[in-house]
């Protein structure tokens, strides 16, 4: 029986903990928040089946019998001596970093007006509005039109994030469907460069959003947003399929923020000499066949700590990492 | 033997397809050699959305880059001087294309 410490109690960390405890290891799961679940634990409905995010978290929690759970445990460094590790005072034979991601800070895209204009919100705030049944502009009215902006903080050299965050396209589609189903009188416009709906059922969701819900997709990238006197927003894009600049007003503008590395990734890396890629996410030993291993034997990765992932991918990755750890310890 | 279609007793439409094998890519290549940032253009239209000239005329800077890449050099030459070189387009480009310099480079290469 060996000790395994998992850093991060989101879906990847929980999935890994569930497998490792069943294999008979002593598992300590450290979560910086006051409860398990990570980002998924805060969300409302998730694609592709528009399921309740809380159901996923509850199911994963059901597998954690015997796991030592430490909440409010922010881990900034790992100590190593010989083949042993120490994390926040707990010793371990293997460590799994499942530190997840940080949503992109939308204030960095100043031209989009987040934090400046009343009716510019992030995808996280939209989710909260849908969860509480209050899709409203700042002055309390149901918006007649909503603009959803793809790739905010992703695929953008200007904010030093060249990578694609992978899930936001499908999140746009899902959000569009939710808005149209609950507020049929609200128009939804999506400003996209490419629709990257890559997973099983995602393209079907894209079709549904168009065919059944009437969500409008405009191939463009938002150049700037300006606030009108009535607090609606004037958007400037080029409709690149028509080849003409376009202006369009919306009551509410939603920025689909991408994923950035965990705020602790840098200090964890420096504490024992781990490696990160150009995108600042942790670098795995091999992108194909050793995608859960780090450059240090005994330290493993799972979930969005190695780059943007969907929920199912994070769970699968957590379980794959658990299998690798089990082999390492046997 | 060449067939003289004008002698045929019925009209023949010109081929509507772009013959990309025959397209003249030399201008695009020369421009990219001088300013390689153009290679990164993904056609998103951030530049053209905010373009000062594009708001008032049918000048479209994103389309200039596309026409260049497709070898439609006559159209590029005809329109490229409509840019006022204000430099606004550089501010938004998510791919770091040095748009203003690319425009200047196109003009320079065309002059030769
Ligand atoms: S998934 Fe879509 S919205 Fe998100 S970064 Fe990639 S292309 Fe942009
Ligand atoms: S903003 Fe940059 S990437 Fe987008 S079309 Fe213009 S030059 Fe190309
Ligand atoms: S530099 Fe030329 S292409 Fe760029 S915004 Fe100004 S007028 Fe438009």
């Amino acid at each position: 029986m060996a000790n395994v410490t998992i850093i991060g109690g989101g879906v990847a960390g929980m999935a890994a903990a569930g497998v490792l405890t069943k294999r008979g290891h002593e598992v300590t799961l450290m979560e910086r928040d006051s409860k398990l679940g990570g980002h998924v634990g805060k969300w409302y409905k998730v694609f592709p089946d528009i399921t309740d995010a809380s159901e996923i978290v509850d199911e994963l929690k059901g597998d954690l019998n015997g796991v030592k759970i430490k909440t409010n445990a922010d881990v900034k460094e790992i100590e190593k001596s010989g083949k042993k590790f120490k994390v926040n005072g707990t010793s371990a034979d293997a460590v799994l970093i499942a530190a997840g991601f940080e949503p992109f800070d939308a204030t960095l895209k100043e031209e989009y007006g987040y934090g400046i204009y009343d009716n510019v919100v992030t995808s996280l705030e939209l989710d909260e509005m849908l969860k509480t049944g209050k899709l409203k502009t700042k002055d309390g009215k149901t918006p007649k039109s909503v603009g959803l902006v793809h790739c905010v903080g992703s695929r953008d050299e200007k904010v030093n994030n060249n990578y694609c965050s992978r899930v936001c396209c499908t999140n746009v589609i899902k959000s569009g469907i939710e808005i149209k189903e609950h507020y049929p009188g609200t128009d939804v416009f999506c400003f996209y460069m490419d629709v990257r709906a890559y997973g099983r059922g995602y393209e079907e969701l894209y079709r549904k959003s168009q065919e059944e819900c009437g969500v409008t997709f405009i191939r463009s990238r938002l150049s700037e947003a300006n606030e009108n006197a009535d607090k609606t927003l004037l958007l400037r894009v080029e409709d690149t399929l028509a080849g003409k600049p376009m202006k369009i007003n919306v009551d509410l503008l939603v920025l689909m923020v991408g994923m950035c590395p965990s705020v602790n990734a840098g200090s964890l890396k420096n504490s024992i000499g781990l490696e990160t890629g150009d995108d600042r996410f942790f670098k795995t030993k091999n992108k194909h066949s050793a995608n859960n291993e780090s450059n240090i034997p005994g330290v493993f990765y799972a979930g969005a700590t190695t780059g943007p992932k969907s929920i199912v991918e994070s769970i699968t990755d957590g379980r794959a990492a658990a299998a690798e750890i089990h082999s390492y310890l046997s | 033997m060449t067939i003289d279609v004008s002698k045929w007793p019925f009209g023949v439409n010109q081929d509507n397809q772009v013959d990309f094998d025959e397209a003249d890519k030399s201008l695009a290549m020369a421009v990219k050699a001088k300013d390689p940032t153009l290679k990164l253009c993904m056609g998103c239209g951030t530049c053209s959305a905010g373009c000062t000239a594009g708001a008032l005329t049918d000048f479209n800077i994103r389309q200039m880059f596309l026409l260049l890449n497709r070898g439609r050099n006559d159209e590029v030459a005809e329109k490229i001087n409509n840019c006022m070189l204000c430099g606004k387009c550089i501010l938004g480009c998510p791919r770091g294309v040095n748009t203003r310099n690319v425009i200047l480079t196109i003009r320079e290469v065309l002059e030769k």
Side-chain angles (χ1 to χ4, degrees), chain A residues 109 111 155-158 162 193-194 219-224 236-246, chain B residues 40 42-50 54-55 57-60 62-63 88 90-97:
Chain A
K109 287 298 285 177
E111 63 270 41
R155 306 176 68 191
D156 189 352
E157 220 179 276
K158 290 282 182 319
N162 283 341
M193 293 193 289
D194 317 275
R219 190 183 180 280
S220 58
R221 183 170 180 122
L222 182 63
S223 163
E224 56 188 298
R236 285 187 197 282
V237 299
E238 188 206 336
D239 176 349
T240 54
L241 293 176
K244 265 194 172 303
M246 177 193 261
Chain B
L40 280 163
M42 60 177 160
C44 69
T46 311
C47 52
S48 40
T57 69
D58 71 351
F59 176 70
N60 184 322
R62 173 195 56 80
Q63 228 163 34
K88 195 180 171 206
I90 306 174
L91 300 175
C93 178
R95 278 292 183 88
V97 178

Side-chain angles (χ1 to χ4, degrees), chain B residues 61-102:
Chain B
I61 185 57
R62 173 195 56 80
Q63 228 163 34
M64 283 300 103
F65 300 152
L66 179 77
L67 293 175
L68 182 74
N69 280 326
R70 295 293 181 268
R72 288 162 67 174
N73 302 340
D74 292 345
E75 290 162 82
V76 176
E78 184 195 316
K79 290 177 176 161
I80 198 70
N81 288 320
N82 294 343
C83 160
M84 303 184 281
L85 297 174
C86 68
K88 195 180 171 206
C89 45
I90 306 174
L91 300 175
C93 178
R95 278 292 183 88
V97 178
N98 195 351
T99 47
R100 190 174 174 277
N101 190 55
V102 170

Side-chain angles (χ1 to χ4, degrees), chain B residues 1-70:
Chain B
M1 190 185 85
T2 28
I3 301 166
D4 186 358
V5 292
S6 69
K7 299 252 165 63
W8 288 6
F10 47 83
V12 175
N13 285 340
Q14 272 201 337
D15 192 344
N16 184 45
Q17 295 174 93
V18 171
D19 187 346
F20 201 53
D21 298 332
E22 293 298 318
D24 174 13
K25 292 132 188 156
S26 62
L27 181 62
M29 279 163 69
V31 173
K32 285 177 190 167
K34 284 179 182 272
D35 192 336
T37 63
L38 180 60
K39 293 179 191 167
L40 280 163
C41 175
M42 60 177 160
C44 69
T46 311
C47 52
S48 40
C51 170
T52 324
L56 304 165
T57 69
D58 71 351
F59 176 70
N60 184 322
I61 185 57
R62 173 195 56 80
Q63 228 163 34
M64 283 300 103
F65 300 152
L66 179 77
L67 293 175
L68 182 74
N69 280 326
R70 295 293 181 268

Side-chain angles (χ1 to χ4, degrees), chain A residues 11-25:
Chain A
V11 290
M14 289 168 81
V19 173
L20 285 163
T21 191
K22 274 187 218 153
R23 297 287 160 105
H25 301 288

Side-chain angles (χ1 to χ4, degrees), chain A residues 1-236:
Chain A
M1 186 162 348
N3 293 303
V4 183
T5 292
I6 300 175
I7 302 169
V11 290
M14 289 168 81
V19 173
L20 285 163
T21 191
K22 274 187 218 153
R23 297 287 160 105
H25 301 288
E26 281 287 345
V27 182
T28 308
L29 182 56
M30 297 194 177
E31 166 57 39
R32 73 171 175 194
D33 223 336
S34 57
K35 57 182 177 38
L36 294 179
H39 294 286
V40 181
K42 300 186 187 103
W43 293 341
Y44 179 41
K45 303 274 185 185
V46 297
F47 59 79
D49 49 359
I50 324 224
T51 224
D52 258 318
S54 61
E55 283 175 24
I56 302 169
V57 174
D58 288 345
E59 223 164 280
L60 292 171
K61 266 189 201 155
D63 285 338
L64 298 183
N65 281 333
V67 173
K68 209 184 285 170
I69 296 164
K70 293 192 177 174
T71 50
N72 299 312
D74 198 18
V75 181
K76 292 200 161 65
E77 51 183 37
I78 302 167
E79 290 165 63
K80 183 177 189 291
S81 61
K83 288 183 88 177
K84 292 267 185 192
F85 302 93
K86 220 172 215 162
V87 181
N88 284 12
T90 304
S91 54
D93 301 296
V95 176
L96 175 64
I97 299 178
F101 71 93
E102 228 58 64
F104 173 74
D105 173 7
T107 59
L108 297 175
K109 287 298 285 177
E110 215 174 298
E111 63 270 41
Y112 293 176
Y114 181 73
I116 305 169
Y117 304 142
D118 282 1
N119 293 312
V120 181
V121 299
T122 66
S123 35
L124 304 169
E125 289 160 319
L126 171 69
D127 192 67
E128 188 64 32
M129 285 179 175
L130 292 166
K131 191 174 184 173
T132 53
K134 290 182 190 126
L135 182 71
K136 298 260 190 283
T137 57
K138 191 130 183 219
D139 60 4
K141 293 193 196 111
T142 300
K144 285 196 213 61
S145 55
V146 179
L148 303 173
V149 186
H150 291 235
C151 303
V152 177
S154 307
R155 306 176 68 191
D156 189 352
E157 220 179 276
K158 290 282 182 319
V159 295
N160 197 24
N161 292 344
N162 283 341
Y163 55 86
C164 162
S165 290
R166 301 178 74 244
V167 300
C168 13
C169 271
T170 316
N171 196 19
V172 166
I173 293 164
K174 180 220 68 172
S175 304
I177 293 173
E178 278 182 284
I179 295 171
K180 291 300 281 184
E181 283 183 346
H182 295 285
Y183 308 89
T186 300
D187 289 327
V188 179
F189 302 103
C190 309
F191 303 95
Y192 75 101
M193 293 193 289
D194 317 275
V195 173
R196 295 182 169 173
Y198 63 96
R200 188 175 186 191
Y202 298 5
E203 178 69 15
E204 289 83 342
L205 211 59
Y206 183 17
R207 289 176 58 114
K208 178 182 169 172
S209 75
Q210 298 175 291
E211 191 180 24
E212 292 173 33
C213 307
V215 173
T216 303
F217 290 82
I218 300 170
R219 190 183 180 280
S220 58
R221 183 170 180 122
L222 182 63
S223 163
E224 56 188 298
N226 289 290
E227 195 174 56
N228 297 309
D230 63 356
K231 303 291 178 187
T232 58
L233 297 144
L234 169 63
L235 313 180
R236 285 187 197 282

